[in-house]
Each structure stands twice: as structure tokens, then as C-alpha cells.
Amino acid sequence: MEQYEPERMSPVQLAALRRSFRNGRASLSRRSLLRASAGGALAVGGLGALSACGIPAAGKTQGGVSAEDHSAKEKAINFSNWTEYMDVDESEKHHPTLDAFAKRTGISVKYTEDINDNVEFFGKIKPQLAAGQDTGRDIIVVTDWLAARLIRFGWVQKLDAANLPHAYTNLSAQFRNPDWDPGRAYSYPWQGISTVIAYNKKALDGVEVRSVSDLLDNPKLKGRVGFLSEMRDSMGMTLLDMGKDPANFTDDDFDAAIARLQKAVDKGQIRRFTGNDYTSDLTKGDLAACVAWAGDVVQLKADSPDVDFIIPDSGYMTSTDNMLIPNKARHKTNAERLMDFYYEPEPAAELAAYINYVCPVDGVKPYLAKIDKDAANNPLIIPDKAMAAKSHPFRSLSQKEETAYEEKFAKLTGA
């Protein structure tokens, strides 16, 4: 990853190039699949379908169920993660940080990229979790809304802080206390996902964009504005623009934000609601500006000098993908050691240099600078204090709220 012939490229650029060629990330990324699972499969009664499958009612926390921990005798970990979410070497056959962990600890990691969609993955592990059985996995990585439900259902284990000294110390302040897991008793972030406003300078042709209001109201942008098909991101950014807190809003606030977006749809201001496929439209200039995911913007900027981003004064949305240990996992202590390993600055920097999402580890910047100075100075990867202060989460929703909100948003987007 140090260079690519004939031109010298940074690890960020190499990562973007490899991912684009390997699986068409520019048109269908891990992020688009992840977000589609939240906004599509759970829309219009999707949560009710989950409840009908034997899942306990939300709020009836049973408490994590441990099993006999075989960590001392079995030096192994089974780790399930999303595709394209781990550093790889030049051969694309090895994961350097996982290899470093194994060499240091003697614990082998069976790393499986078997998560393509939150709901689909939940369907895989639900029967074992519901029956109180081992899923065969020691660590899973799921998005915050699903992590919240697994915790509420009592299907993941409480973490032992004694095994997580680096995680406890180095977790960035903005991720420490989500309302669904205060103090991170059951989870630690794998990566953060920021939602910002991206734009194509050439397509704007001098039009200023500083806010969501600019996207929705400037007639010079009519038909050239994009919003995301993920409800939490588009609605969260709109609520912020209206002076509302996405972590503390009412049904009336939500309805007002829906009405604001509907007005823009009706007058043709919004071109369309998209998953990750907005990237090609933005690069070509078919979209002048849009609500976008920061990980995509990092990659687009590496290839296109016309693409850039802004953080509105009203703030931006941040969510997380999270490591959890399922009930009955055989290697809990080993799993906690691996989770903690990724909160040491050096491995955290190696991971951040490759995958380009928001690193949740404090103190990583000087280590990342040794690998890639541009990445270390990129606020989309390492937010500075001013940017972190503008970060806002979307509050946890009850089952009733989620069903109602997703139905309204689906009607808005035509999904």
C-alpha cells in the first residue's frame, strides 16, 4: 500500500482504487447495503415482521447470557464483519493488523466477511440467539440501531472493562454515551459514519451552498440536489437545519421535517433519494450538491478535484458500526482483547488509513500521519474538536415510532 506504479499514491488513494476495481464500490458500497437494510427492509411494517418471528418485545431486556469461557484453552476468535471493512496487504490475502494481533497474543482470528445487510445478518443469527445457543461468532459488527435492539433483547454480553483498558481510555468523547448503550457497557464502535453535504464545484458554477436550506430552497439548484434514502440521515440533517435536535425531537418535529422535504420534492428541487449511487452523479455533475456519507467523499476527493464537502453550521449526523459479543460466545475474553487491540493508536491508524471512515480512537492522529499525512489531516477521518462538537446522533426509536417514521419517509421518497 506504500505506492502504486507508475504514480506514487497515498494509502487512501490506493484503498479507493482497489475497492472500486474489486467490487464496484463506486456504484454499490458496503455503506449503501448497510443503509438500505435500515431504510428498506424495515420500512412499512418491517419491524412488525421481526416481532412476529419470536423476538422479545423491545424494552424487555433479559441481560446477556454468558457461556463457559474457553479463551484460556482455545486460542481462537471467530470475527464476523462487513466486506471491505478491514485492512489488507498488497497480495490482498492477509490482514496486517489481525496478523499483528495473532503474533503478539498467540490467538488466531477466523475473520469472515459474511455481513452484507443488517436485517439479512440478523436473520442468520436470530434462531440461535432466540434459542439461547452459540451463534459460532465471538465478535459481530452491526449498525447502531440494530446494536440497540440486540442489547435490549438481552442477546449480547456485558463487557468486562478489565479486558478493555485501551478502549476505555481512548474512545473518543463523541461516541462514549449513546442513549442505547450509556457508558458502552455492551459495545464499542468499530468505525463512525458521518453524514455531510458534498458538492461538485464545477457544477455549482459559483452558487454558494452552506446549508440544507440552500439545497432545498435555492432555485438555481432545482433538479440537481440529492438526499439519501436512509431515513435517519436525511431526516436528521433536515431536523438540524430546522433548529431541532435529532437526539431529542417530537412527532410534530418529524412531521414538519417531512413536510419541508415534501415541498422540495413537489417543486422538483430534489432530483432523487439515493443510496451510495449518488457518487457517480456527483462526480459527473448531474448532482450539483447532495447529502452524502463522508467515507464516500474521502474516496471521491482522491479522484476528482471538483468534489468537496461542507459541514453546515447547524451540524451533521454521525452513526456507528459497533463490535458486540453475542450470548454464548465461546471466547469472550479473547474477543475483548481483540476489541481492545483496535483501540491502541497504531493498529487503529493502520485500519483508518485503509478504510477511510471516522476513527473512534483518540490519539491516533500522529500515528496516522506516519502512514498518510493527508488522511491524518482529513476531518472526515479524524474530526477536530470543532467538528466533533457539531456531531449529532439520531435518537433511539421505539418499535412503534420506527414503523411510523419509516412509513412516512417511504411515502416521501416513493420507496
Side-chain angles (χ1 to χ4, degrees):
M1 288 182 59
E2 293 301 320
Q3 65 180 21
Y4 178 84
E5 299 297 343
E7 297 179 337
R8 185 169 181 81
M9 300 176 69
S10 73
V12 169
Q13 292 171 311
L14 282 171
L17 182 66
R18 283 201 185 94
R19 284 192 291 266
S20 179
F21 277 109
R22 284 178 60 192
N23 68 346
R25 186 181 176 93
S27 61
L28 186 62
S29 74
R30 191 199 68 79
R31 177 59 34 208
S32 67
L33 289 167
L34 184 156
R35 288 311 193 183
S37 72
L42 292 187
V44 193
L47 285 173
L50 291 183
S51 294
C53 295
I55 299 173
K60 294 184 179 179
T61 302
Q62 300 169 350
V65 180
S66 61
E68 181 182 352
D69 192 349
H70 298 265
S71 292
K73 295 181 179 179
E74 299 177 5
K75 297 294 185 179
I77 299 171
N78 293 315
F79 185 177
S80 282
N81 204 348
W82 296 79
T83 58
E84 306 299 325
Y85 221 15
M86 180 66 75
D87 56 307
V88 298
D89 66 2
E90 294 289 343
S91 72
E92 299 191 355
K93 295 179 180 179
H94 300 282
H95 302 291
T97 55
L98 289 177
D99 291 346
F101 173 81
K103 183 177 180 180
R104 181 200 297 182
T105 63
I107 299 170
S108 63
V109 181
K110 181 182 178 182
Y111 183 74
T112 308
E113 295 181 334
D114 61 344
I115 306 178
N116 292 305
D117 176 288
N118 279 296
V119 173
E120 177 187 69
F121 181 68
F122 184 76
K124 291 180 182 179
I125 62 176
K126 178 189 65 180
Q128 294 98 324
L129 291 172
Q133 298 172 352
D134 180 11
T135 64
R137 299 166 174 88
D138 301 302
I139 299 177
I140 59 174
V141 176
V142 297
T143 309
D144 44 19
W145 62 268
L146 181 53
R149 281 175 174 75
L150 292 174
I151 292 170
R152 272 216 310 271
F153 297 160
W155 286 357
V156 293
Q157 298 187 53
K158 191 171 184 178
L159 302 174
D160 185 347
N163 295 327
L164 294 154
H166 296 97
Y168 180 82
T169 301
N170 295 335
L171 176 61
S172 297
Q174 73 183 98
F175 299 120
R176 282 191 176 272
N177 285 292
D179 63 355
W180 48 270
D181 188 17
R184 293 288 181 178
Y186 293 89
S187 68
Y188 269 94
W190 176 248
Q191 296 291 292
I193 307 124
S194 294
T195 304
V196 299
I197 293 176
Y199 61 88
N200 183 307
K201 286 180 259 188
K202 185 176 181 180
L204 283 179
D205 193 25
V207 176
E208 185 177 47
V209 171
R210 303 298 305 170
S211 67
V212 169
S213 287
D214 290 334
L215 298 183
L216 296 176
D217 299 331
N218 191 326
K220 293 181 179 179
L221 299 179
K222 183 176 180 179
R224 299 191 295 140
V225 168
F227 274 71
L228 293 169
S229 56
E230 159 55 22
M231 181 268 288
R232 289 166 176 80
D233 290 324
S234 286
M235 293 302 296
M237 293 291 281
T238 305
L239 285 165
L240 284 171
D241 188 71
M242 297 172 69
K244 302 298 181 179
D245 183 359
N248 184 24
F249 64 89
T250 66
D251 287 348
D252 287 343
D253 295 334
F254 186 89
D255 289 344
I258 284 284
R260 180 146 169 67
L261 288 174
Q262 186 66 60
K263 182 179 178 180
V265 169
D266 292 344
K267 67 181 182 181
Q269 185 77 5
I270 297 176
R271 183 183 183 93
R272 63 192 183 108
F273 291 83
T274 71
N276 175 260
D277 50 330
Y278 68 84
T279 55
S280 59
D281 285 347
L282 184 64
T283 301
K284 290 185 296 184
D286 292 339
L287 286 176
C290 61
V291 176
W293 289 307
D296 292 332
V297 177
V298 172
Q299 295 166 34
L300 291 175
K301 279 172 61 66
D303 295 325
S304 174
D306 292 325
V307 174
D308 213 332
F309 75 98
I310 62 105
I311 302 296
D313 289 340
S314 59
Y316 67 101
M317 298 302 297
T318 299
S319 56
T320 50
D321 289 334
N322 308 275
M323 297 179 283
L324 303 100
I325 300 176
N327 285 355
K328 297 289 186 175
R330 288 179 62 88
H331 312 110
K332 181 174 184 286
T333 299
N334 290 347
E336 290 166 338
R337 291 182 67 183
L338 181 59
M339 292 167 70
D340 192 63
F341 172 76
Y342 280 104
Y343 275 82
E344 295 180 26
E346 289 189 21
E350 289 186 56
L351 184 65
Y354 186 78
I355 64 177
N356 308 160
Y357 286 93
V358 180
C359 180
V361 182
D362 271 347
V364 77
K365 185 172 182 176
Y367 296 88
L368 182 56
K370 295 178 182 179
I371 304 171
D372 188 319
K373 290 183 179 180
D374 289 340
N377 292 319
N378 190 331
L380 298 181
I381 298 175
I382 308 292
D384 56 26
K385 288 184 178 180
M387 183 168 171
K390 290 185 176 183
S391 169
H392 296 268
F394 199 93
R395 71 171 172 84
S396 295
L397 302 178
S398 68
Q399 183 173 318
K400 181 179 179 181
E401 285 177 324
E402 181 143 21
T403 300
Y405 292 171
E406 290 286 8
E407 285 178 347
K408 292 176 181 178
F409 190 71
K411 183 177 180 180
L412 167 74
T413 62

